[in-house]
């Protein structure tokens, strides 16, 4: 039996309006919270930024106001991109606590540390701030979420591993040996520094579910397990992993994910080899390796719905359909098309998958426009 548990990621909650992240469907979300708690799980992950800054307050209504404080754990993240001076840390953290209706975090993270935002965090003395927050009881554990390559992580850990408890990294079977994401190298570094690992994107934003039929058939031939189950088991089987977060947006998904962790089975060597083979097969069919985190949308001065356009591009590359072109027309009737990209590059630094988004938007425009 593995000690890893399923964490409830409040980043992809059910929405009343699929085009408006702020319209969280509270009845469904509340049912999901209740089911998750009934199954004996207790870890909720949110952020200042999720769902157009509505995620924290939704969690307050569905969880904090309905359950005793000692029955759950909440992790939240300081939005690095909003830091301009040292006092911003405390201002933002106090706002986060107020939105959630709590007086301490179980885990307080600095959000999205990479080669750009590490400089921002250091200028604002965010690492010193979270250390002090822990000493004062505002946070029981501290750390950061990370989106960059292993050499950057090693530099950060060399400086701060003695004061932090946890690192949140992207880890899934597709990115295990990927040269951009480097999940295995990131994992191994955290183990080397004896840090607790929280896994994000175990299903890569749903990307690992929407695979080509040829890949699905190979999974079906190998076993009855679903691809999400394989993905969660792979993440939860790795050393030092304590939480596997899943961005769940329906009660049905919640039930399936809870089932995987109620009777958790570690991946064995044969299964590991099979998943590495499937990772190679999936990569052959995927044109743009986007995890649909939506961070780029906030940075785009033109308001281009980048993840939606990338999703259509991938669909068209897999199966050329008139419907894909029609959907492109529908989306860009009310939002900026790919060709409106000014090549400013502001989306590149915040991309969790380290994609050259402006260059890829040129490809999207060539295909659809």
């Amino acid at each position: 039996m593995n000690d890893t548990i399923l964490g409830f990621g409040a980043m992809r909650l059910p929405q009343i309006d699929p085009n408006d992240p702020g319209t969280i469907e509270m009845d469904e979300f509340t049912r999901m919270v209740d089911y998750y708690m009934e199954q004996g799980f207790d870890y909720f992950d949110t952020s200042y930024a999720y769902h157009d800054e509505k995620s924290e307050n939704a969690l307050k209504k569905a969880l904090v106001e309905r359950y005793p404080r000692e029955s759950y754990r909440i992790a939240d993240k300081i939005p690095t991109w909003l830091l301009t001076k040292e006092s911003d840390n405390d201002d933002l953290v106090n706002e986060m606590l107020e939105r959630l209706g709590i007086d301490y975090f179980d885990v307080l993270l600095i959000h999205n540390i990479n080669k750009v935002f590490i400089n921002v965090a250091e200028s604002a003395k965010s690492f010193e701030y979270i250390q002090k927050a822990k000493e004062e009881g505002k946070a029981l554990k501290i750390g950061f979420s990370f989106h960059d390559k292993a050499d950057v992580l090693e530099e950060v850990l060399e400086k701060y591993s003695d004061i932090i408890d946890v690192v949140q990294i992207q880890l899934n079977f597709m990115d295990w040996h990927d040269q951009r994401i480097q999940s295995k190298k990131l994992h191994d570094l955290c183990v080397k520094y004896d840090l607790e690992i929280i896994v994000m994107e175990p299903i890569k934003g749903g990307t690992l579910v929407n695979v080509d039929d040829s890949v699905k058939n190979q999974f079906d031939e190998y076993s009855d397990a679903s691809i999400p189950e394989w993905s969660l088991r792979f993440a939860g089987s790795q050393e030092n992993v304590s939480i596997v977060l899943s961005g769940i947006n329906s009660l049905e998904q919640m039930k399936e994910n809870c089932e995987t962790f109620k009777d958790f089975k570690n991946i064995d060597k044969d299964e590991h080899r099979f998943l590495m083979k499937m990772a190679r097969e999936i990569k052959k069919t995927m044109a743009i390796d986007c995890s649909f985190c939506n961070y780029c949308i906030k940075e785009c001065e033109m308001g281009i719905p980048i993840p939606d356009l990338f999703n259509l591009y991938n669909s068209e590359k897999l199966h050329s359909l008139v419907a894909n072109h029609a959907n492109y027309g529908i989306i860009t009737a009310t939002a900026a098309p790919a060709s409106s990209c000014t090549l400013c590059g502001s989306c590149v630094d915040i991309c969790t998958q380290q994609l050259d988004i402006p260059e890829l938007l040129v490809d999207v425009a060539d295909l659809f426009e």
Side-chain angles (χ1 to χ4, degrees):
M1 176 69 182
N2 195 307
D3 292 333
T4 306
I5 75 157
L6 174 69
F8 191 159
M11 178 185 182
R12 296 185 175 94
L13 300 176
Q15 296 172 200
I16 297 169
D17 178 354
N19 298 313
D20 184 354
T23 60
I24 297 168
E25 215 297 308
M26 286 303 301
D27 289 343
E28 178 76 352
F29 179 35
T30 302
R31 285 190 288 269
M32 291 159 64
V33 167
D34 289 343
Y35 185 86
Y36 176 79
M37 294 287 280
E38 286 164 9
Q39 303 310 304
F41 302 118
D42 69 346
Y43 189 94
F44 295 82
D45 172 89
T46 187
S47 154
Y48 185 94
Y50 293 166
H51 282 277
D52 282 350
E53 301 183 15
K54 300 291 197 306
S55 174
E56 292 161 321
N57 194 248
L59 205 53
K60 175 184 178 181
K61 292 176 182 175
L63 175 72
V64 175
E65 293 179 350
R66 301 174 59 246
Y67 288 89
R69 181 63 182 94
E70 67 275 9
S71 67
Y72 56 82
R73 292 177 286 167
I74 290 183
D76 207 342
K77 309 179 193 74
I78 300 171
T80 325
W81 53 93
L82 294 181
L83 296 171
T84 58
K85 56 188 181 300
E86 189 175 346
S87 61
D88 288 342
N89 291 291
D90 203 45
D91 292 343
L92 288 164
V93 161
N94 288 333
E95 185 179 358
M96 289 152 58
L97 288 168
E98 185 178 348
R99 286 178 179 181
L100 285 162
I102 57 178
D103 54 14
Y104 71 91
F105 303 102
D106 296 274
V107 180
L108 178 61
L109 304 172
I110 304 169
H111 203 163
N112 196 13
I113 290 296
N114 59 24
K115 62 188 173 187
V116 174
F117 287 142
I118 182 61
N119 299 319
V120 176
E122 288 183 331
S123 295
K125 297 189 176 178
S126 296
F127 285 90
E128 292 86 345
Y129 176 80
I130 61 172
Q131 184 179 18
K132 186 181 175 187
K134 183 179 177 182
E135 291 167 358
E136 294 176 348
K138 268 191 176 178
L140 303 186
K141 290 182 179 180
I142 57 173
F144 57 90
S145 66
F146 184 81
H147 289 287
D148 213 322
K149 293 186 177 179
D151 59 335
V152 179
L153 179 60
E154 185 148 36
E155 288 176 19
V156 178
L157 294 183
E158 281 175 2
K159 286 186 182 178
Y160 301 111
S161 64
D162 58 332
I163 69 163
I164 65 167
D165 307 295
V166 59
V167 181
Q168 189 160 306
I169 61 171
Q170 178 168 319
L171 191 159
N172 55 66
F173 70 83
M174 187 169 154
D175 293 327
W176 193 240
H177 292 299
D178 185 89
Q179 289 307 302
R180 258 197 341 268
I181 308 301
Q182 300 183 333
S183 285
K184 185 179 189 303
K185 290 181 178 179
L186 300 180
H187 167 269
D188 292 350
L189 275 171
C190 292
V191 172
K192 173 185 171 183
Y193 285 91
D194 195 27
L195 293 166
E196 181 182 342
I197 298 169
I198 298 172
V199 171
M200 56 185 162
E201 305 291 4
I203 311 176
K204 207 171 169 67
T207 302
L208 297 181
V209 179
N210 302 313
V211 297
D212 187 68
D213 289 344
S214 63
V215 177
K216 282 182 182 173
N217 292 337
Q218 291 181 68
F219 272 103
D220 291 342
E221 288 170 11
Y222 190 80
S223 84
D224 294 332
S226 68
I227 299 178
E229 183 179 342
W230 277 114
S231 304
L232 295 171
R233 282 184 58 211
F234 178 85
S237 297
Q238 308 310 322
E239 189 178 358
N240 279 37
V241 170
S242 61
I243 306 287
V244 176
L245 295 172
S246 185
I248 305 163
N249 59 29
S250 71
L251 184 58
E252 183 182 356
Q253 285 181 9
M254 174 63 75
K255 289 178 178 178
E256 182 179 355
N257 291 0
C258 285
E259 201 62 36
T260 300
F261 281 87
K262 277 185 349 191
D263 185 23
F264 192 88
K265 295 182 179 67
N266 278 312
I267 295 286
D268 63 30
K269 288 182 181 178
D270 286 340
E271 291 171 331
H272 181 93
R273 280 193 290 270
F274 170 72
L275 290 176
M276 293 304 99
K277 178 189 174 188
M278 290 299 95
R280 293 190 293 273
E281 293 292 317
I282 293 169
K283 281 185 184 295
K284 290 177 190 174
T285 65
M286 192 169 292
I288 301 177
D289 198 6
C290 174
S291 70
F292 309 101
C293 68
N294 292 320
Y295 291 166
C296 55
I297 294 176
K298 291 181 181 293
E299 297 299 309
C300 181
E301 61 185 25
M302 302 304 294
I304 301 170
I306 298 165
D308 289 342
L309 301 190
F310 283 176
N311 190 29
L312 273 180
Y313 185 87
N314 283 342
S315 297
E316 178 65 11
K317 286 294 183 179
L318 274 176
H319 303 290
S320 184
L321 298 169
V322 172
N324 291 329
H325 291 265
N327 284 332
Y328 185 86
I330 291 167
I331 291 170
T332 56
T334 54
S339 58
S340 65
C341 176
T342 63
L343 306 179
C344 70
S346 62
C347 55
V348 174
D349 289 339
I350 205 164
C351 178
T352 61
Q353 308 304 297
Q354 300 172 51
L355 301 174
D356 188 340
I357 294 173
E359 183 180 310
L360 291 169
L361 285 172
V362 172
D363 294 340
V364 175
D366 287 346
L367 180 65
F368 288 111
E369 297 179 41

